[in-house]
Amino acid sequence: MWIVWVIFYPAAIWTGYSLNDFPASISFFDISVLTVLTVVVSLFPIRVLNSNISLITGISLAIFLYYGLFLSLIITQIAVFSLTLKVYFSTNEHYRYLTNTLMFAWISVGSGIIFELLGGHTGPYDLNKGFYLIPIAGYILAHFLLNHLFLYVVRTYAFAQKVRFIEKDLWVDIIFEMLVIPVGVLLYVLYSQIGTPAIFYVGFPFLSLSIIINLYHASQQVNDLLQKSSEIGQQLSEHLQVNDILDVFIDKLTSFILVDGAYIFDAESGEYFKLIRKYEKNEGMIKHNIKLLRTEGVSGKVWATGKSILYSSKKQWRDTSESHFNGHGESIISVPMIRSQKIVGVITFMNQKKKTFQKHHLMIMEILANYLAVAIDNAKNYETTKLKSEQCPLTGLFNYRYFENLLSQMYDEFNYFQREFSVILMDIDHFKKVNDTYGHQSGNEVLIQLARRLEQYIGENGKVARYGGEEFVILLPHTNEMTCYRVAEELRSIISLHPFLIKDDLKDKRHHQIYITASIGISTAPLQGEDPLTLLRNADRAMYTGAKQQGRNKVARYVG
């Protein structure tokens, strides 16, 4: 890029100078005022989609028509440099200065050449002579087309972006050009007649108009963001799983806020922050496997103070959080998640460019952070309530209601996967004797210890539930009858060969080791049960007829 700039940028300046037709007199005061005016207008660009649209065309047109190509080119370059400095201002993006100054230099030269070819001449406007309508129209059209052509080429080949030549921002640019061109022509004509006062009569009202349009457009952006935040808040409330809520939040915000890294921390997990969700455009933007105290880093500062933070560049937060961000990033925005006047989490967004986040982003983030805090709290309450309705309060296993639903889902999935699955139904032998001898609390201890043994053995290979009383049921997905029988035999041995430690509540209040056995029945779908009720009923039959009635402490298969 430097090589291209060194070759072609001086060539543009020299071409502009050689083609310039200087007027008889030049007012350096007027040139200075016009330069300041152009620069100030350039500092209020309107952000549309992925482009910054500046309204300096009208002023640069008036300068070109009166003073010629060279001065118009130089003043435009100063304005473009000021705009680029305001928008990017990052040392690692110096190529943007090069591309912008080079691009607009040749846009000015190309437009000036078209103007000359169409018979136009620059200088003060003479009321007694005709107006160069066709050359001016050619200049404006060439300026517009060259601008978008250069933008397309630079984005496609220099920045490797996938863009189309005609996009929505092009039509918005056309509308603004149609508004500012008449102002430029009016400034040129009036300046030719009355001189310096014309700059104040036309230029400064135009500056005021530019600022007003910029502020109006910014307010529209805020309104759009508020509408989007309301929609996101509604979408968050529609989900009842914490993970789903976090996924929706990250997905929606990163779709309209430029984010390279997004991190959500739980502030209710003790001394250290707990990272509960992250999004990174490039992996490894923050250090992994490090413990972040709730008083460390940018997020820790937000938690400690309860106040949001907006940083535009690394130098503002380098001393606070450089070690945690691996040196990545420039712009950072971090807001607390507050529920019932208590900080329950922190959301931190990062971008690798400077000045990415604005105050309206901070406002939107604060609103959505509270939405998120409430949505997560509601989801946790729902999950707790749901778990209680699906869980045996004594053993902590799933209850029969949950197991029935799970078994129904397995039958639905069988229609697609066509893979067998099995159930194991077991009943503790002579359990009434345990209750009568040692007390019901001791019986409960046996049930709890047996539940832990079953969970430990089955692990992720199936689901264990309390069927009722002293009965337990196990679902084994993708398991045939032979494998299920082997698992059931191993469970029978684990139960019968290892003692249970209980406390005698009826007599001596001392701890005792007792041995118990279980009778087990198995059945496999779909051959031994075409529906959940039949499958469980057949496993129950196998348990009673093949195990209980045959001496107990046995495993029986359903045959039918």
Side-chain angles (χ1 to χ4, degrees):
M1 197 65 230
W2 272 106
I3 294 174
V4 173
W5 190 87
V6 168
I7 295 174
F8 289 99
Y9 187 76
I13 301 298
W14 179 85
T15 304
Y17 180 80
S18 62
L19 295 177
N20 192 79
D21 186 12
F22 289 98
S25 62
I26 297 178
S27 172
F28 290 99
F29 174 79
D30 291 354
I31 290 295
S32 301
V33 174
L34 288 170
T35 301
V36 171
L37 181 63
T38 307
V39 168
V40 174
V41 170
S42 73
L43 296 179
F44 293 91
I46 299 173
R47 182 74 178 179
V48 179
L49 299 178
N50 294 321
S51 299
N52 290 290
I53 297 177
S54 178
L55 304 181
I56 65 172
T57 308
I59 302 175
S60 64
L61 173 62
I63 298 173
F64 168 77
L65 292 175
Y66 192 93
Y67 287 105
L69 176 59
F70 181 71
L71 288 178
S72 171
L73 188 155
I74 296 300
I75 294 175
T76 300
Q77 287 292 294
I78 296 173
V80 169
F81 182 81
S82 302
L83 174 61
T84 308
L85 200 66
K86 177 180 183 294
V87 174
Y88 302 111
F89 196 69
S90 178
T91 55
N92 61 352
E93 290 185 317
H94 60 274
Y95 59 88
R96 295 188 181 273
Y97 301 116
L98 304 179
T99 54
N100 284 353
T101 53
L102 181 61
M103 182 178 71
F104 280 98
W106 280 104
I107 289 173
S108 298
V109 171
S111 304
I113 291 175
I114 295 297
F115 180 82
E116 294 285 343
L117 291 176
L118 292 176
H121 295 285
T122 60
Y125 175 64
D126 188 350
L127 294 175
N128 298 320
K129 295 183 178 180
F131 201 66
Y132 298 114
L133 288 178
I134 294 178
I136 291 176
Y139 173 90
I140 296 170
L141 183 61
H143 191 281
F144 177 81
L145 293 177
L146 287 173
N147 180 33
H148 284 276
L149 178 62
F150 275 114
L151 281 175
Y152 175 78
V153 171
V154 168
R155 288 180 178 178
T156 303
Y157 298 103
F159 299 155
Q161 298 177 356
K162 293 182 179 180
V163 295
R164 296 178 300 176
F165 181 74
I166 299 178
E167 291 188 322
K168 292 182 180 180
D169 54 355
L170 182 141
W171 304 110
V172 177
D173 197 9
I174 290 176
I175 294 174
F176 281 112
E177 291 288 335
M178 293 176 64
L179 292 174
V180 300
I181 293 303
V183 177
V185 174
L186 175 62
L187 176 59
Y188 164 63
V189 173
L190 196 60
Y191 182 69
S192 299
Q193 304 305 313
I194 64 175
T196 305
I199 301 176
F200 297 91
Y201 294 156
V202 178
F204 284 94
F206 177 72
L207 171 61
S208 302
L209 180 62
S210 300
I211 297 173
I212 292 172
I213 293 176
N214 183 276
L215 293 175
Y216 172 77
H217 183 72
S219 67
Q220 288 295 105
Q221 285 185 313
V222 173
N223 289 336
D224 291 341
L225 290 176
L226 286 172
Q227 184 177 357
K228 289 180 180 178
S229 66
S230 177
E231 294 172 357
I232 293 174
Q234 182 178 356
Q235 291 173 341
L236 293 177
S237 64
E238 293 173 354
H239 293 273
L240 296 174
Q241 300 291 331
V242 173
N243 287 335
D244 293 340
I245 291 172
L246 294 172
D247 289 339
V248 169
F249 183 84
I250 291 292
D251 180 64
K252 295 300 180 182
L253 255 69
T254 54
S255 66
F256 66 86
I257 297 179
L258 297 176
V259 174
D260 291 326
Y263 311 94
I264 302 178
F265 298 95
D266 180 9
E268 295 184 301
S269 55
E271 183 181 1
Y272 294 94
F273 273 124
K274 179 182 178 182
L275 181 64
I276 58 177
R277 185 63 87 251
K278 76 168 183 174
Y279 159 83
E280 290 184 336
K281 193 173 183 180
N282 299 309
E283 190 66 27
M285 299 187 72
I286 64 171
K287 288 187 177 180
H288 299 284
N289 302 322
I290 65 168
K291 289 186 176 181
L292 181 63
L293 287 168
R294 293 196 300 175
T295 55
E296 291 182 333
V298 174
S299 302
K301 188 175 181 179
V302 170
W303 176 84
T305 62
K307 296 180 180 179
S308 302
I309 286 177
L310 174 62
Y311 291 140
S312 299
S313 63
K314 184 187 297 184
K315 66 180 181 180
Q316 295 176 292
W317 56 264
R318 180 183 289 113
D319 296 336
T320 304
S321 200
E322 173 75 10
S323 60
H324 303 129
F325 280 109
N326 270 344
H328 295 289
E330 289 285 352
S331 302
I332 287 182
I333 186 171
S334 186
V335 299
M337 296 164 53
I338 300 176
R339 187 186 70 248
S340 301
Q341 298 182 340
K342 179 183 178 182
I343 299 176
V344 296
V346 176
I347 303 170
T348 301
F349 280 9
M350 179 182 64
N351 192 283
Q352 293 181 314
K353 297 179 181 178
K354 293 183 178 181
K355 301 181 181 180
T356 301
F357 305 126
Q358 307 298 324
K359 289 184 178 180
H360 60 269
H361 291 129
L362 185 65
M363 177 187 68
I364 297 300
M365 285 284 293
E366 289 175 338
I367 294 173
L368 289 176
N370 293 331
Y371 272 132
L372 182 61
V374 173
I376 289 178
D377 186 54
N378 291 338
K380 286 181 177 179
N381 291 334
Y382 170 78
E383 289 177 353
T384 301
T385 303
K386 184 173 181 291
L387 183 61
K388 289 181 178 179
S389 69
E390 297 174 343
Q391 196 175 50
C392 167
L394 176 65
T395 63
L397 297 176
F398 292 115
N399 57 24
Y400 177 66
R401 173 187 174 187
Y402 172 85
F403 190 83
E404 275 190 322
N405 294 332
L406 186 62
L407 202 54
S408 297
Q409 292 177 13
M410 291 299 299
Y411 273 93
D412 293 337
E413 292 179 3
F414 179 79
N415 296 328
Y416 295 96
F417 299 110
Q418 296 293 312
R419 298 187 66 176
E420 293 179 305
F421 57 92
S422 302
V423 295
I424 298 174
L425 185 64
M426 66 175 60
D427 180 87
I428 300 176
D429 297 326
H430 303 299
F431 185 69
K432 184 176 182 300
K433 185 178 179 180
V434 175
N435 287 331
D436 292 342
T437 304
Y438 301 102
H440 286 280
Q441 184 59 38
S442 299
N444 289 340
E445 290 178 8
V446 171
L447 294 176
I448 294 171
Q449 292 178 47
L450 178 57
R452 299 291 80 77
R453 289 190 191 183
L454 297 178
E455 282 185 321
Q456 184 177 3
Y457 178 79
I458 297 298
E460 299 296 326
N461 297 318
K463 296 291 185 181
V464 183
R466 187 180 178 191
Y467 194 65
E470 64 269 24
E471 291 184 322
F472 295 83
V473 63
I474 301 170
L475 172 65
L476 298 176
H478 314 315
T479 304
N480 57 30
E481 183 181 7
M482 184 178 299
T483 304
C484 180
Y485 185 83
R486 178 182 57 78
V487 171
E489 271 292 347
E490 292 179 359
L491 284 174
R492 185 193 64 79
S493 298
I494 289 173
I495 295 170
S496 63
L497 297 179
H498 301 280
F500 291 77
L501 182 64
I502 64 170
K503 181 181 180 181
D504 188 346
D505 290 326
L506 298 181
K507 299 176 183 178
D508 55 13
K509 304 295 182 180
R510 296 173 60 185
H511 287 88
H512 297 268
Q513 286 187 348
I514 65 170
Y515 287 85
I516 65 171
T517 61
S519 298
I520 301 174
I522 68 170
S523 59
T524 301
L527 295 180
Q528 297 169 357
E530 297 181 352
D531 57 74
L533 182 61
T534 303
L535 187 67
L536 287 171
R537 183 179 296 158
N538 290 336
D540 192 49
R541 288 174 179 171
M543 180 183 69
Y544 274 99
T545 60
K548 288 281 187 186
Q549 295 179 5
Q550 300 301 319
R552 294 182 172 83
N553 192 24
K554 297 181 183 296
V555 175
R557 315 179 194 188
Y558 174 77
V559 180

